[in-house]
Amino acid sequence: MREAKIKRKTGETDIDLSICLDGGEITIDTGIGFFDHMLTAFAMHGGFGLSVKVKGDLEVDCHHTIEDTGIVLGKAISQALGDKKGITRFGSFYVPMDESLAFAAVDISGRPFLVFDAKFPEERVGGYDSCMTEEFMRALAFHAGLTLHTKAVYGTNSHHMIEALYKAVAHALRLAVTKNQSGQVLSTKGILE
């Protein structure tokens, strides 16, 4: 099983996270209801087992909790992938959600990069600042070693647009971590870093 467990404590957050790329139970508690919903959707649509427990400085705002969770999740995905031998490496996916459409493409390249193209009509969804979607995706991409392109193609409801983005990234990542038939590193360099 491709698994990782990380505990990270700073002056702003205390995070206990575990992931299994091959499935398992999903338990999420970050203190931000909408973010819990997004991480649950991410795990379910990615086919991942995911446990996340976060105590963050929510009296300040949601920023540290969401960004730091992205950092730890990215590190855990990287650890679970190990040397990246035998993975498909690339994945892309469109997700429609009511009036919204989102797209994500991922390359587990070891070269972190984020292209994020989304403008949300509402600044907040519950206790979640819409702008934190980009911060989460950046933290995830940079700490997992992903080249990640995301786009909210269109939409008028921030909840739908953000959820479609999380689901699109989950499906793209699910495809990218799928085992290939060769069992080799899918790179002419022979390594992915």
Side-chain angles (χ1 to χ4, degrees), residues 143-155:
H143 291 275
L146 310 176
T147 298
L148 177 61
H149 291 240
T150 61
K151 182 176 180 65
V153 181
Y154 47 76

Side-chain angles (χ1 to χ4, degrees), residues 34 38 99-102 116-125 128-137 150-166:
F34 183 73
M38 293 303 94
E99 87 300 340
S100 303
L101 181 67
F116 185 89
D117 185 2
K119 291 182 176 45
F120 304 112
E122 292 92 20
E123 290 183 15
R124 292 177 65 79
V125 180
Y128 179 101
D129 293 344
S130 299
C131 65
M132 288 308 302
T133 308
E134 182 173 4
E135 298 302 321
F136 173 82
M137 297 298 177
T150 61
K151 182 176 180 65
V153 181
Y154 47 76
T156 58
N157 179 292
S158 294
H159 182 136
H160 296 159
M161 294 168 72
I162 294 166
E163 187 166 347
L165 282 168
Y166 273 84

Side-chain angles (χ1 to χ4, degrees), residues 83-88 178-187 190:
D83 62 10
K84 303 178 187 78
K85 281 186 180 175
I87 61 167
T88 301
T178 300
K179 294 178 182 177
N180 67 36
Q181 293 181 0
S182 74
Q184 302 298 311
V185 173
L186 192 59
S187 170

